[in-house]
Amino acid sequence: MTLKTRNVFFIVLFACFFAALITNFALLFYNMYSGSLIEPDTFPAAHISGFYATRYSFAAVILSLFLFLLYATLGSIYLYIQFEKTQSLEVIFFAVFLIGCAIEAVRLYVPFFNLWHSLSTLLIFTGRAVLFGRTVAPAALLFNAVFSGTEQRQNIERNLIVLLVISITMATLIPLNTAIVLPNFCIHWGASKTILTMRMLIMAAAVLSVFINMRTMGTKEKAPYGFLSLTVGYAICCIANSFAAVIIGNILLYAGTAIYLGSLHRKYLWQ
């Protein structure tokens, strides 16, 4: 992948994320104006704890999803500005991670189009899209940590294809339970605990790989700590259902990203 192609990719991502942000703001204001913004009226006892129910905030979930979109929008333009002339494989995988973050905002369609108790193509699409995002984001972090060496420069297209194929396959094969739409606008899917465990293990492996790489190279950069922070922040934001969780998750996500990308920029600046 040439620098020109990669930079065009960043610009296209920014345009798509920004358009999605504006569109969802328009849908939000329309629903608020028309009084059609419907909150969830059920909390399935098998999946929602008492603490979750008492601390749950409908507005916090909406805010969290808009912050995901804002994060992806700012992140994509930052990658273009700061790494325009830098041959960095890390930023390519990080851009794919941003795609996974932005896809979380698809959950907004549930309250915007009142999909709580109806089986529709849009509801199924929402569920599949979120599954894809929840797969591609952690996998991109792992590929970022493992396949970002200079020896992998000729294999970047192959690695991206493998990453996308794995994510699409998982999103297609995992069964959806459209009868249960959780109050955080997620459609319940089969083997949810197993999938969550796998995602946590992938993210833990990614963080561990970054720290091992730092130790191997003998550097004292803050990049691994920023990577840890953004990974934990992302995990919290995915399940955030209260204002406390939204605030903590986004502070970790935004601050960790600033530290990680800042360290990465300084690294390539001196090379």
Side-chain angles (χ1 to χ4, degrees):
M1 180 181 292
T2 64
L3 276 178
K4 183 178 180 180
T5 302
R6 191 203 64 184
N7 291 335
V8 170
F9 175 59
F10 290 162
I11 290 295
V12 171
L13 282 186
F14 170 74
C16 292
F17 295 156
F18 185 73
L21 189 62
I22 297 301
T23 301
N24 282 300
F25 263 121
L27 288 171
L28 175 63
F29 287 124
Y30 172 79
N31 277 269
M32 293 176 65
Y33 177 78
S34 62
S36 57
L37 195 61
I38 300 175
E39 299 186 23
D41 55 4
T42 58
F43 286 81
H47 306 287
I48 310 299
S49 67
F51 177 82
Y52 178 100
T54 56
R55 301 295 180 182
Y56 173 80
S57 171
F58 180 69
V61 179
I62 291 179
L63 175 62
S64 176
L65 298 179
F66 272 101
L67 288 175
F68 257 135
L69 260 182
L70 179 63
Y71 169 76
T73 304
L74 295 176
S76 59
I77 196 62
Y78 181 90
L79 291 181
Y80 175 76
I81 293 173
Q82 294 296 328
F83 296 91
E84 181 182 4
K85 300 179 180 179
T86 304
Q87 282 282 9
S88 168
L89 299 185
E90 290 95 334
V91 297
I92 298 176
F93 290 118
F94 194 83
V96 178
F97 169 71
L98 293 179
I99 294 175
C101 291
I103 287 176
E104 289 291 328
V106 173
R107 287 189 274 150
L108 288 167
Y109 294 162
V110 174
F112 286 170
F113 297 101
N114 191 20
L115 303 178
W116 297 108
H117 305 294
S118 62
L119 177 60
S120 65
T121 303
L122 182 57
L123 182 65
I124 296 174
F125 167 77
T126 299
R128 295 295 178 196
V130 173
L131 270 172
F132 173 79
R134 295 280 175 97
T135 305
V136 77
L141 292 178
L142 181 61
F143 275 54
N144 186 336
V146 177
F147 298 117
S148 58
T150 54
E151 69 278 2
Q152 292 293 332
R153 188 159 293 168
Q154 301 301 321
N155 301 323
I156 183 63
E157 289 86 0
R158 183 199 65 185
N159 292 335
L160 285 174
I161 291 174
V162 170
L163 173 60
L164 293 176
V165 168
I166 291 174
S167 302
I168 292 173
T169 302
M170 292 289 288
T172 304
L173 296 181
I174 295 174
L176 296 175
N177 185 356
T178 54
I180 300 178
V181 181
L182 301 177
N184 66 348
F185 318 160
C186 268
I187 299 172
H188 192 258
W189 50 73
S192 57
K193 292 183 178 179
T194 302
I195 296 171
L196 177 61
T197 301
M198 290 176 58
R199 292 179 68 245
M200 293 299 107
L201 289 175
I202 290 173
M203 287 187 281
V207 172
L208 183 61
S209 298
V210 171
F211 274 93
I212 291 175
N213 290 340
M214 180 193 70
R215 190 177 184 87
T216 301
M217 293 185 296
T219 62
K220 296 183 178 180
E221 280 287 347
K222 297 179 181 178
Y225 303 99
F227 192 86
L228 171 62
S229 176
L230 74 90
T231 302
V232 174
Y234 163 76
I236 294 174
C237 288
C238 283
I239 59 174
N241 301 287
S242 65
F243 281 109
V246 171
I247 292 171
I248 293 172
N250 278 279
I251 288 176
L252 290 173
L253 180 62
Y254 279 75
T257 300
I259 295 171
Y260 174 69
L261 292 182
S263 297
L264 202 62
H265 181 253
R266 288 191 296 273
K267 169 188 171 184
Y268 284 98
L269 188 65
W270 294 105
Q271 285 185 357

